[in-house]
């Protein structure tokens, strides 16, 4: 009994300590909650004030943006009013007989100004008399001259007025600027109706920095009193870009001050924020009430919740010393006597469970050690098997794998390396890899090639070096070298792959890449490369002539007798050229039936015309009979004014096309002066075009196309223009031919396609449903990666291809109509439509309609421009429309310039019309999609 007294006394002492700890914890929690809740209330009050001030200033920024938006919308309304205003004739302007604007037009005054800033005439609505001041006119004329675009402004002299300045051309071709004006009072009224905020326009007073003069306000004297109260209550300068939020003697207000763009005028926007004080008081009252209730609830919960767990914690701390003395069974029995809650366990219950788990884990520790020892033995066995597998893999690898020292002595080599070098499995002591792996031509060994690797501290190196096998054969090897460490020694690991067959294939492909497969002659690219090399190596006494020989009607010969017979003709004709012109030449096949010869002679030697004339006619056997084939020859000579053989070839090709249209089967010598001038002009235009492509100076114009049945703009055709160095537009007729000859058309087409799709994506995001029609030429369409590039552009721009129409120019030379059909079908799979452009001016129009999956037929403007005057054109167009409709194609008539033509085309049931009657091609800034018939 006496022995149990100390234990009982200790437990009572622990209970007392436990109760004291609980009291202290409750006091600390109470104090902390009190400080936190009341501190949180004060912070909430400050945050409410700051948040409201921030919201008020954000509303001020929003009101500024709203004012800007209303101003821009009002300017657009003035632009549309200008579009509806009938432009007077030059006589009416001269005689000052300008009709006054309608009272319903939304226009107060109209003023006509010369490009120099002189007022020609003006007209006013009854009661209005505003004319822009000289300074406003100068700013508008300067801006229009710089940007070539209409300008809008808000100006205040005696009255505040919204003005637009629009450059126009009158009926006699003179440039004018039309000025449309309207009072800004409606803008102020709209702003107040929309926002319920005060709006004031001010200007600085003369010679006084902080004084200002109010020109116009939402509510006159009332608005000015509010502004004065703001400036009196705080150090606020309305003439600087400041913001205001605070109390005045009239109440709480937020204000925003900013300048009008390109003007000395200042704008003040003031919003009433009188509700701020009421909201702040209400917020702090609610926070304080919530803090008091929360504090009372927390104290009650802490008392009920913490007292039982702390008593349990004392009993668990008595058990923990048993674990340190390894009395795990006694600790387990003691833990079982402590009751734990089955529901809503807390950290004390988790500590109880953790103590039980630690006890169990220590008991199982010896079993885990034994199991881990068994696992380690299994892994050692697996590693032994892996080593054997690696050795087998090395011996069966189709690579030479060798480890060697820096001097080349072999440390180890695999089976393939031993087979090529003739070594046995047991390596001799003097085996050195440099004996077999070396380059006899450069007198370089493998170790010598790795010398820099060790000197520079490189870890990896790749090179090529032959393997001189024991049977005398030389194998080309690609080596990869690494620095490794074995038993503390630095070695090289060299992995070699036999690339002998690859090298032979590359040589074969190189020959095929440089020569024509049919004739064995040089191809076009190799001819250009070799010709340039010959030209740069010539002396001053040598003379160079370029002869282009083109077989006439070669494609028809292939169609009649087959490609095998055509290939035979090419080979025999190539031999004939070589025999006729001798050895002082470079001969190549540069096209389907086209050959080029570079003749190098002395200055005193002349080309014998008789030899060249013999090449214009050639007899070839076609089996049962023989055919006479004619050829056209163009001869031009190289001079210092030619930049390269490419330019000379381009000029000769152009001359060949012109001469074949006149007469085939002859020899033509290019005149020196004509050739020089023609080349010089082409070079300049080509350089200009390349610079425009590199500096993004290709601009898209848009010409509307009107749906005849619905009488609105259904889509627009994209037309390319080039800007020169001075900012003037160059018509496509001047540079597209050069682009075609220079091979630049695909690059131009891809630029046009991407720009057009970006514009289409912008329209689609803005809700504009107008479609776009894009021209694509045959050189671009026939590129092997056209479909992939097109899909990449569609993904990059985000444009919906359902609104795209690709126009294929009918006069382009499609070399393979079957391939074109496949490409167009791939385009249609994406959702885009196809139009056949310039229909009717070529001989293959109806074949294209029959063979290609087109959706639209565009009748060339040559048949439309004078259709109201020519009955023959009406008959032809009617037949084309009926044929197209019967095949399920839509018809577009381009070149419509007269109302009479519109009536005729409507009677013929043409689906769409396009031309100057609707609109000329214009930049996107001047495009009007609201045109109606």
């Amino acid at each position: 009994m006496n022995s149990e007294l100390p234990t009982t006394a200790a437990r009572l002492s622990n209970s007392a300590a436990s109760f004291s700890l609980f009291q202290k914890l409750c006091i600390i929690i109470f104090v902390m909650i009190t400080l936190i809740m009341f501190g949180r209330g004060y912070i909430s009050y400050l945050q409410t004030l700051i948040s409201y001030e921030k919201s008020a200033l954000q509303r001020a920024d929003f009101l500024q943006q709203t004012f800007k938006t209303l101003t821009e919308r009002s300017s657009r309304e003035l632009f549309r009013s200008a579009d509806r205003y009938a432009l007077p004739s030059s006589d009416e302007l001269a005689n000052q007989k300008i009709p006054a604007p309608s009272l319903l037009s939304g226009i107060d005054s109209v003023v006509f100004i010369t490009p120099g800033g002189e007022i020609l005439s003006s007209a006013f609505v009854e009661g209005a008399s505003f004319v822009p001041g000289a300074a406003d006119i100068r700013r508008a004329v300067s801006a229009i001259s710089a940007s070539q675009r209409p300008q809008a402004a808000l100006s205040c002299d005696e009255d505040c007025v919204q003005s637009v300045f629009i450059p126009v051309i009158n009926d006699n071709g003179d440039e004018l600027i039309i000025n449309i004006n309207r009072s800004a009072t409606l803008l102020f009224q709209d702003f107040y109706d929309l926002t319920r905020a005060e709006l004031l326009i001010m200007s600085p007073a003369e010679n006084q920095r902080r004084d200002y003069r109010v020109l116009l306000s939402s509510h006159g004297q009332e608005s000015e009193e509010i502004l004065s109260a703001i400036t009196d209550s705080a150090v606020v300068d309305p003439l600087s870009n400041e913001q205001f939020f605070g109390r005045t003697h009239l109440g709480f207000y937020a204000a925003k001050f900013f300048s009008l763009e390109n003007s000395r005028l200042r704008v003040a926007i003031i919003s009433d924020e009188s509700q701020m004080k009421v909201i702040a008081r209400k917020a702090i009252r609610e926070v304080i009430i919530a803090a008091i209730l929360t504090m009372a609830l927390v104290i009650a919960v802490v008392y009920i919740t913490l007292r039982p767990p702390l008593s349990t914690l004392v009993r668990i701390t008595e058990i923990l010393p048993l674990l340190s003395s390894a009395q795990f069974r006694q600790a387990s029995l003691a833990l079982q006597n402590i009751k734990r809650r089955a529901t809503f366990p807390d950290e004390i219950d988790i500590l109880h469970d953790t103590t039980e788990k630690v006890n169990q884990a220590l008991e199982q520790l010896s079993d885990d050690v034994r199991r881990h020892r068994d696992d380690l033995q299994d892994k050692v066995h697996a590693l032994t098997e892996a080593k054997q597998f690696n050795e087998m893999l090395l011996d069966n690898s189709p690579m030479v794998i060798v480890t060697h020292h820096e001097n080349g002595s072999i440390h180890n080599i695999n089976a393939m390396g031993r087979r090529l070098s003739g070594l046995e499995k047991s390596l001799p002591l003097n085996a050195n890899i440099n004996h077999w792996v070396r380059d006899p031509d450069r007198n370089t060994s493998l170790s010598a090639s790795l010398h820099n690797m060790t000197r520079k501290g490189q870890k990896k190196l790749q090179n090529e070096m032959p393997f001189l096998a024991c049977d005398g054969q030389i194998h080309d090897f690609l080596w990869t070298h690494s620095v490794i460490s074995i038993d503390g020694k630095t070695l090289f690991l060299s992995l070699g792959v036999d690339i002998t067959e690859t090298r032979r294939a590359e040589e074969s492909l190189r020959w095929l890449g440089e020569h024509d497969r049919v004739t064995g002659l040089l191809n076009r690219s190799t001819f250009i490369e070799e010709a340039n090399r010959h030209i740069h190596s010539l002396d001053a006494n040598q003379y160079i002539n370029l002869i282009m020989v083109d077989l006439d009607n070669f494609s028809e010969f292939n169609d009649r007798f087959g490609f095998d017979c055509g290939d035979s003709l090419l080979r025999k004709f190539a031999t004939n050229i070589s025999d006729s012109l001798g050895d002082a030449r470079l001969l190549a096949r540069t096209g389907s039936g086209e050959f080029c010869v570079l003749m190098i002679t002395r200055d005193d030697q002349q080309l014998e015309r008789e030899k060249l004339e013999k090449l214009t006619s050639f007899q070839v056997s076609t089996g049962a009979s023989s055919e006479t084939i004619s050829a056209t020859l163009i001869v031009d000579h190289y001079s210092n004014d030619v930049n390269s053989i490419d330019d000379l070839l381009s000029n000769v090709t152009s001359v060949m096309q012109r001469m074949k249209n006149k007469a085939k089967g002859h020899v033509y010598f290019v005149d020196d002066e004509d050739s020089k001038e023609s080349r010089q002009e082409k070079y300049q235009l080509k350089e200009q075009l390349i610079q425009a492509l590199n500096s993004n100076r290709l601009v898209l114009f848009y010409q509307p196309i009107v749906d005849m049945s619905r009488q609105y703009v259904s889509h627009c055709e994209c037309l390319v223009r080039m800007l020169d160095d001075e900012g003037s537009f160059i018509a496509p007729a001047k540079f597209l031919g050069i682009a075609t000859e220079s091979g630049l058309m695909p690059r131009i087409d891809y630029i046009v396609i991407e720009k057009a799709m970006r514009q289409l994506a912008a329209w689609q995001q803005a809700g504009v449903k107008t479609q776009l029609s894009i021209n694509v030429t045959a050189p671009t369409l026939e590129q092997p990666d056209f479909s992939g590039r097109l899909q990449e552009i569609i993904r990059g721009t985000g444009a919906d291809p359902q609104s795209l129409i690709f126009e294929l120019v009918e006069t382009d030379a499609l070399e393979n109509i079957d391939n074109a059909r496949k490409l167009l079908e791939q385009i249609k799979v994406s959702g885009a439509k196809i139009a056949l452009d310039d229909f009717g001016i070529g001989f293959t129009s109806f074949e294209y309609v029959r063979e290609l999956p087109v959706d639209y037929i565009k009748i060339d403007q040559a048949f439309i421009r004078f259709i109201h005057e020519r009955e023959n054109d009406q008959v032809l167009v009617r037949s084309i429309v009926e044929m197209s409709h019967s095949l399920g194609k839509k018809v577009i008539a381009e070149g419509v310039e007269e109302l009479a033509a519109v009536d005729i085309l409507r009677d013929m049931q043409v689906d769409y019309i396009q031309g100057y009657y609707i609109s000329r091609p214009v930049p996107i800034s001047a495009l009007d999609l609201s045109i109606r018939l």
Side-chain angles (χ1 to χ4, degrees):
M1 189 69 178
N2 293 334
S3 62
E4 294 180 354
L5 289 176
T7 302
T8 304
R11 288 179 178 176
L12 291 175
S13 176
N14 288 336
S15 298
S18 171
F19 182 74
S20 177
L21 177 63
F22 173 72
Q23 290 177 330
K24 293 177 181 178
L25 186 59
C26 288
I27 293 172
I28 292 173
I29 292 174
F30 175 78
V31 173
M32 289 180 63
I33 292 176
T34 302
L35 293 176
I36 290 173
M37 295 307 296
F38 283 97
R40 180 180 176 275
Y42 180 70
I43 293 173
S44 298
Y45 175 74
L46 294 179
Q47 288 177 341
T48 301
L49 294 180
I50 294 172
S51 175
Y52 194 90
E53 179 179 357
K54 183 178 179 181
S55 299
L57 294 179
Q58 287 177 347
R59 284 197 297 274
D61 291 336
F62 175 75
L63 291 174
Q64 178 185 355
Q65 185 61 36
T66 303
F67 173 73
K68 181 179 178 182
T69 302
L70 288 176
T71 304
E72 292 175 352
R73 186 185 69 181
S74 182
S75 297
R76 289 195 297 270
E77 290 177 356
L78 280 179
F79 281 127
R80 287 194 291 270
S81 299
D83 291 338
R84 294 190 293 269
Y85 184 75
L87 185 66
S89 65
S90 57
D91 292 338
E92 290 175 333
L93 282 174
N95 297 325
Q96 300 290 321
K97 295 181 178 180
I98 303 174
S102 170
L103 292 174
L104 300 178
S105 64
I107 299 175
D108 291 343
S109 66
V110 179
V111 181
F112 292 89
I113 306 169
T114 67
E118 179 182 351
I119 298 177
L120 290 176
S121 183
S122 58
F124 310 94
V125 175
E126 182 178 353
S129 61
F130 176 78
V131 175
D136 294 332
I137 293 177
R138 282 196 302 273
R139 283 195 296 270
V141 170
S142 176
I144 290 174
S145 176
S147 65
Q148 294 297 315
R149 297 182 62 177
Q151 302 293 320
L154 178 62
S155 58
C156 292
D157 290 332
E158 295 300 326
D159 298 315
C160 287
V161 178
Q162 277 195 284
S163 304
V164 294
F165 297 83
I166 306 168
V168 297
I169 297 176
N170 66 1
D171 56 351
N172 61 0
D174 293 335
E175 295 183 357
L176 295 175
I177 297 177
I178 181 172
N179 167 232
I180 305 294
N181 303 287
R182 181 172 66 188
S183 173
T185 305
L186 294 177
L187 174 64
F188 274 56
Q189 185 61 44
D190 289 343
F191 181 82
Y192 182 78
D193 291 342
L194 182 64
T195 64
R196 294 299 172 182
E198 300 294 332
L199 179 64
L200 301 94
I201 300 291
M202 306 171 292
S203 67
E206 295 296 333
N207 301 323
Q208 296 185 24
R209 180 177 176 273
R210 293 182 59 84
D211 288 345
Y212 56 90
R213 181 165 59 96
V214 177
L215 303 176
L216 185 63
S217 61
S218 299
H219 294 89
Q221 186 62 31
E222 180 181 346
S223 301
E224 295 183 28
E225 289 177 357
I226 296 174
L227 178 60
S228 297
I230 290 174
T231 57
D232 292 341
S233 62
V235 183
V236 178
D237 184 4
L239 303 183
S240 63
N241 293 334
E242 296 183 4
Q243 291 180 324
F244 170 80
F245 176 80
R247 181 197 299 273
T248 70
H249 67 276
L250 296 179
F252 272 94
Y253 291 96
K256 176 76 173 185
F257 304 95
F258 58 92
S259 298
L260 284 178
E261 186 176 359
N262 299 323
S263 175
R264 295 178 68 249
L265 297 179
R266 301 286 298 170
V267 178
I269 298 177
I270 304 172
S271 60
D272 188 351
E273 307 294 342
S274 300
Q275 293 298 319
M276 186 276 294
K277 185 175 181 180
V278 175
I279 293 174
R281 289 178 177 176
K282 180 180 179 181
I284 193 62
R285 184 170 59 251
E286 292 176 351
V287 168
I288 292 173
I289 293 173
I292 294 173
L293 294 177
T294 303
M295 183 171 57
L297 180 62
V298 168
I299 292 173
V301 171
V302 167
Y303 183 84
I304 296 172
T305 305
L306 291 184
R307 184 174 180 83
L310 287 176
S311 299
T312 305
L313 178 61
V314 172
R315 299 181 63 185
I316 293 177
T317 55
E318 294 174 352
I319 299 173
L320 289 177
L322 298 176
L323 297 180
S324 61
S325 58
Q327 300 179 31
F328 305 118
R329 186 171 299 278
Q330 292 86 338
S332 177
L333 293 174
L335 288 170
Q336 291 176 3
N337 293 328
I338 297 176
K339 296 182 180 180
R340 65 182 305 278
R341 291 176 295 180
T343 58
F344 303 110
D346 56 14
E347 288 77 4
I348 305 300
D349 297 317
I350 295 174
L351 177 62
H352 178 274
D353 295 340
T354 303
T355 306
E356 288 184 339
K357 292 178 181 179
V358 170
N359 188 39
Q360 295 172 1
L362 292 174
E363 289 180 353
Q364 295 176 358
L365 181 61
S366 59
D367 295 336
D368 292 340
V369 172
R370 183 175 60 256
R371 184 170 60 256
H372 290 161
R373 184 176 62 249
D374 296 338
D375 292 342
L376 182 60
Q377 292 176 351
D378 293 339
K379 289 180 180 179
V380 171
H381 179 70
L383 288 174
T384 304
E385 292 182 348
K387 179 181 178 183
Q388 295 173 352
F389 174 77
N390 290 337
E391 292 176 351
M392 180 181 65
L393 183 64
L394 290 176
D395 287 339
N396 291 277
S397 173
M399 303 170 60
V400 171
I401 304 174
V402 56
T403 56
H404 55 93
H405 297 273
E406 185 175 357
N407 62 0
S409 60
I410 299 174
H411 179 268
N412 198 359
I413 188 169
N414 72 336
M416 182 177 179
R418 292 195 300 271
R419 184 172 65 254
L420 290 176
S421 57
L423 295 173
E424 299 295 334
K425 189 166 185 180
S426 58
L427 296 175
L429 295 177
N430 60 348
N432 195 298
I433 193 63
N434 294 320
H435 179 73
W436 297 279
V437 183
R438 53 191 172 86
D439 190 345
D441 296 334
R442 296 183 296 173
N443 194 25
T444 303
S445 66
L446 177 62
S447 295
S449 68
L450 300 179
H451 178 69
N452 287 335
M453 184 177 177
T454 57
R455 184 170 59 86
K456 296 180 179 179
Q458 292 179 272
K459 295 299 182 182
K460 287 188 177 294
L461 178 68
Q462 189 176 76
N463 62 9
E464 293 185 19
M465 187 164 288
F467 196 114
L468 280 62
C470 60
D471 58 1
Q473 294 187 8
I474 299 177
H475 300 267
D476 293 322
F477 263 74
L478 175 64
W479 295 92
T480 300
H481 310 283
S482 303
V483 178
I484 62 174
S485 178
I486 298 179
D487 297 334
K489 296 180 180 179
T490 301
L491 299 176
F492 290 101
L493 172 63
S494 298
L495 309 178
V497 180
D498 192 344
I499 59 172
T500 306
E501 294 299 326
T502 303
R503 286 287 177 266
R504 292 174 182 171
E506 288 176 354
E507 291 296 329
S508 177
L509 290 174
R510 186 180 297 110
W511 189 92
L512 291 174
E514 296 175 352
H515 293 77
D516 173 48
R517 180 183 60 81
V518 177
T519 62
L521 300 177
L522 298 178
N523 58 24
R524 184 183 184 90
S525 60
T526 310
F527 172 76
I528 293 173
E529 181 180 344
E530 290 295 320
N532 283 322
R533 188 175 60 81
H534 276 71
I535 289 171
H536 291 125
S537 64
L538 296 181
D539 56 43
N541 296 325
Q542 290 179 310
Y543 194 77
I544 302 172
N545 282 296
L546 177 63
I547 305 171
M548 180 176 284
V549 185
D550 191 45
L551 293 172
D552 298 328
N553 303 320
F554 179 65
S555 60
E556 295 180 8
F557 184 89
N558 275 334
D559 293 339
R560 290 174 59 196
F561 303 106
F563 289 104
D564 290 338
C565 195
D567 292 346
S568 176
L569 168 61
L570 292 173
R571 287 189 287 269
K572 292 178 181 177
F573 191 69
T575 303
N576 183 38
I577 296 175
S578 180
D579 295 341
S580 300
L581 299 182
D583 297 329
R585 81 285 184 277
L586 192 65
L587 177 59
R589 181 188 176 204
T590 55
S592 177
E594 178 186 280
F595 298 84
C596 280
V597 185
L598 193 73
M599 295 292 295
I600 305 172
T601 61
R602 293 293 172 182
D603 283 349
D604 55 354
Q605 295 178 343
Q606 301 294 329
L607 290 176
E608 298 181 20
R609 190 180 185 95
E610 293 181 0
K611 287 185 178 180
L612 299 179
E613 291 287 356
K614 290 181 180 179
L615 292 175
T616 60
S617 180
F618 182 68
Q619 287 288 128
V620 62
S621 174
T622 59
S625 62
S626 62
E627 289 285 329
T628 300
I629 304 299
S630 66
T632 302
L633 281 75
I634 304 296
V635 183
D636 196 1
H637 71 272
Y638 178 86
S639 57
N640 291 331
D641 64 326
V642 179
N643 293 331
S644 66
I645 194 66
D646 282 316
D647 298 326
L648 191 60
L649 269 172
S650 176
N651 184 65
V652 172
T653 302
S654 178
V655 175
M656 174 70 77
Q657 292 175 350
R658 295 199 307 269
M659 294 300 105
K660 291 193 100 175
N661 290 332
K662 296 179 180 179
K664 300 177 181 179
H666 295 280
V667 179
Y668 297 96
F669 286 85
V670 179
D671 181 79
D672 288 344
E673 292 303 321
D674 292 342
S675 175
K676 181 177 179 180
E677 293 177 3
S678 175
R679 284 199 295 262
Q680 192 65 25
E681 183 181 356
K682 285 185 179 180
Y683 298 153
Q684 293 176 355
L685 194 55
K686 179 181 176 182
E687 288 299 322
Q688 221 173 8
L689 177 57
I690 293 175
Q691 291 177 7
L693 289 171
N694 294 335
S695 57
N696 194 21
R697 283 195 276 111
L698 290 185
V699 180
L700 293 189
F701 275 41
Y702 300 84
Q703 187 172 30
I705 299 175
V706 172
D707 187 322
M708 291 286 282
S709 62
R710 301 181 182 178
Q711 300 189 2
Y712 71 94
V713 176
S714 59
H715 57 289
C716 296
E717 181 178 1
C718 301
L719 302 168
V720 67
R721 299 290 188 269
M722 182 174 74
L723 283 172
D724 61 14
D725 297 334
E726 298 177 356
S728 300
F729 287 110
I730 299 177
K734 290 186 177 182
F735 65 86
L736 288 184
I738 300 297
T740 302
E741 293 179 7
S742 305
L744 296 174
M745 276 312 302
R747 188 175 174 187
I748 294 176
D749 282 347
Y750 286 129
I751 290 175
V752 171
I753 291 172
E754 183 171 357
K755 285 179 177 287
M757 287 192 179
R758 291 194 184 281
Q759 181 58 52
L760 179 61
W763 279 353
Q764 290 170 346
Q765 290 178 1
V768 178
K769 298 183 179 180
T770 304
Q771 299 178 335
L772 276 185
S773 182
I774 308 171
N775 289 295
V776 59
T777 59
T780 305
L781 183 65
E782 292 177 341
Q783 286 199 326
D785 62 342
F786 174 75
S787 297
R789 290 280 299 272
L790 178 60
Q791 292 298 326
E792 182 179 345
I793 294 174
I794 291 175
R795 288 192 298 268
T797 59
D800 183 4
Q802 299 282 347
S803 298
L804 290 175
I805 301 172
F806 288 96
E807 294 190 15
L808 175 65
V809 180
E810 188 270 333
T811 53
D812 276 0
L814 289 172
E815 294 183 358
N816 189 332
I817 197 168
D818 292 332
N819 186 46
R821 185 193 307 110
K822 294 177 181 178
L823 289 172
L824 294 181
E825 287 175 349
Q826 292 178 7
I827 293 175
K828 296 198 67 172
V829 169
S830 70
K833 298 180 179 61
I834 308 297
L836 184 60
D837 198 8
D838 294 346
F839 184 83
I841 62 173
F843 294 102
T844 57
S845 299
F846 292 98
E847 181 183 3
Y848 287 170
V849 174
R850 182 189 65 195
E851 299 294 339
L852 300 180
V854 299
D855 303 285
Y856 300 91
I857 302 296
K858 294 193 71 173
I859 304 176
D860 186 72
Q861 58 185 341
F863 301 98
I864 303 299
R865 183 173 290 114
F866 302 105
I867 192 171
H868 56 289
E869 299 175 357
R870 298 175 181 173
E871 293 185 2
N872 290 339
D873 287 350
Q874 296 180 22
V875 174
L876 288 172
V877 171
R878 188 180 300 276
S879 64
I880 293 174
V881 172
E882 292 176 353
M883 179 272 295
S884 301
H885 285 170
S886 64
L887 294 176
K889 318 292 185 185
K890 299 285 188 178
V891 178
I892 304 173
E894 54 183 352
V896 179
E897 298 181 0
E898 301 289 341
L899 176 60
V902 175
D903 295 334
I904 292 174
L905 295 171
R906 181 183 290 111
D907 293 339
M908 292 182 181
Q909 296 184 352
V910 169
D911 301 291
Y912 305 91
I913 61 172
Q914 174 184 1
Y916 288 178
Y917 178 77
I918 304 300
S919 171
R920 291 176 177 270
V922 294
I924 189 64
S925 60
L927 180 62
D928 184 6
L929 297 177
S930 63
I931 296 174
R932 297 290 186 273
L933 279 181

